[in-house]
Amino acid sequence: MSQAKTRFSPAAMLRGSLVPVLVIVLWQVLSTSGLINPVVLPSPVAVVERWWAYLLPTEAYDPAQSSWILWALSGEMLFDAWSSLYRVVLGFAVGAGLALPLGLAMGGNPRVYALFDPLMQVLRPIPPIAYIPLAILWFGLGNAPAVFLIAIGAFFPVLMNTIAGVRHVDGIYLRAARNLGAGKLTMFVRVILPAATPYILAGARIGIGTAFIVVIVSEMIAVNSGLGFRILEAREFMWSDKIIAGMFTIGMLGLAIDIGMNRLNNHLLRWHRGLEN
């Protein structure tokens, strides 16, 4: 049986759900027993009810105004989730689009590496959150500073993994290509880039995960929509059930993104697994 089938077998899913179920049951017992203030930590039932209300449209359906589908998709949560996802995708595209060519150049050319590496090593430890004052100063409020921060968060994982992938290409591949008369361009396109692809995709997976973390922080400060903004708004009114509902939504959306990235990696690396098997 393959690893994928084992991972998603009913028995594995049952074992994986055991601890979450026990935590929810304990949480519900503590909440209903009165040992915990419901304002501080509402019960799971209250959170689910708030999550459902967060999902549903805020206005009654009116056929004269719009179609049923548009009405059903007009809930506050769906709008916030779409706003956050839009910023994540755009910021990741900008960050990865800048990091990939620079990483390929730094990994493949020692002179380019020596030129850019000191600057990258100085900037890399700075967390994207530290750029928030500058982002607001440069771009004001709205999507622009959020996309800027997300791009920074996605940039360095993709960059460093791309460099590592290019610099760790197996020498056997390089020698075989040279013996077959491959030029520098052919060597790079047909040998180095495919061999570095697993590293690049791993960096992309980490980068988009980092981008999703950064978008929540940026939405709490620089924009007036999205899941992060809605959690901060709920805090102002002490709606702890809505805070947890928003956190649950973030977790599910992040899980969906990670699963999608994992499946994309598996699809693009079928040849790599074939060589290993």
Side-chain angles (χ1 to χ4, degrees), residues 5-270:
K5 292 182 179 179
T6 302
R7 182 181 302 173
F8 294 104
S9 66
M13 293 179 64
L14 181 61
R15 288 193 299 268
S17 62
L18 180 61
V19 173
V21 169
L22 291 177
V23 170
I24 293 174
V25 171
L26 178 61
W27 176 11
Q28 181 68 33
V29 170
L30 292 175
S31 301
T32 55
S33 64
L35 296 176
I36 300 178
N37 187 344
V39 176
V40 177
L41 184 63
S43 68
V45 174
V47 171
V48 171
E49 290 176 350
R50 173 67 78 163
W51 186 87
W52 184 249
Y54 188 23
L55 174 65
L56 294 177
T58 56
E59 299 180 356
Y61 173 57
D62 184 2
Q65 297 294 329
S66 63
S67 65
W68 185 89
I69 295 178
L70 293 179
W71 171 81
L73 298 177
S74 64
E76 190 179 62
M77 187 187 72
L78 294 177
F79 176 76
D80 289 334
W82 166 252
S83 299
S84 297
L85 186 60
Y86 167 77
R87 296 182 184 110
V88 166
V89 172
L90 183 58
F92 174 78
V94 173
L98 295 174
L100 183 59
L102 180 60
L104 292 173
M106 291 178 64
N109 191 317
R111 293 182 179 179
V112 178
Y113 182 85
L115 182 64
F116 284 95
D117 185 63
L119 177 62
M120 296 298 105
Q121 296 306 323
V122 170
L123 296 178
R124 186 166 63 92
I126 303 175
I129 300 174
Y131 290 92
I132 288 177
L134 286 178
I136 296 176
L137 181 63
W138 291 345
F139 302 104
L141 301 177
N143 285 332
V147 171
F148 171 74
L149 296 171
I150 295 166
I152 293 175
F155 178 83
F156 288 103
V158 177
L159 176 71
M160 302 310 297
N161 276 52
T162 302
I163 294 173
V166 174
R167 292 169 69 91
H168 288 83
V169 176
D170 196 328
I172 295 177
Y173 299 152
L174 301 178
R175 290 192 295 271
R178 291 193 189 99
N179 291 338
L180 293 173
K184 290 184 178 181
L185 180 60
T186 302
M187 178 87 71
F188 185 82
V189 174
R190 302 296 297 274
V191 179
I192 295 177
L193 188 57
T197 299
Y199 287 84
I200 297 172
L201 293 178
R205 188 177 180 184
I206 297 172
I208 200 165
T210 305
F212 200 78
I213 295 172
V214 175
V215 71
I216 301 303
V217 177
S218 64
E219 287 176 345
M220 292 183 175
I221 299 171
V223 297
N224 59 358
S225 64
L227 296 171
F229 168 79
R230 204 62 62 187
I231 289 175
L232 188 64
E233 180 188 55
R235 188 207 66 177
E236 299 294 333
F237 295 95
M238 299 190 67
W239 294 336
S240 53
D241 51 356
K242 190 170 184 178
I243 293 174
I244 299 176
M247 294 168 60
F248 175 76
T249 305
I250 292 170
M252 296 302 294
L253 188 57
L255 176 63
I257 292 175
D258 187 71
I259 291 175
M261 287 295 297
N262 186 41
R263 291 187 175 181
L264 177 63
N265 289 0
N266 291 337
H267 175 73
L268 295 177
L269 295 178
R270 287 176 299 173

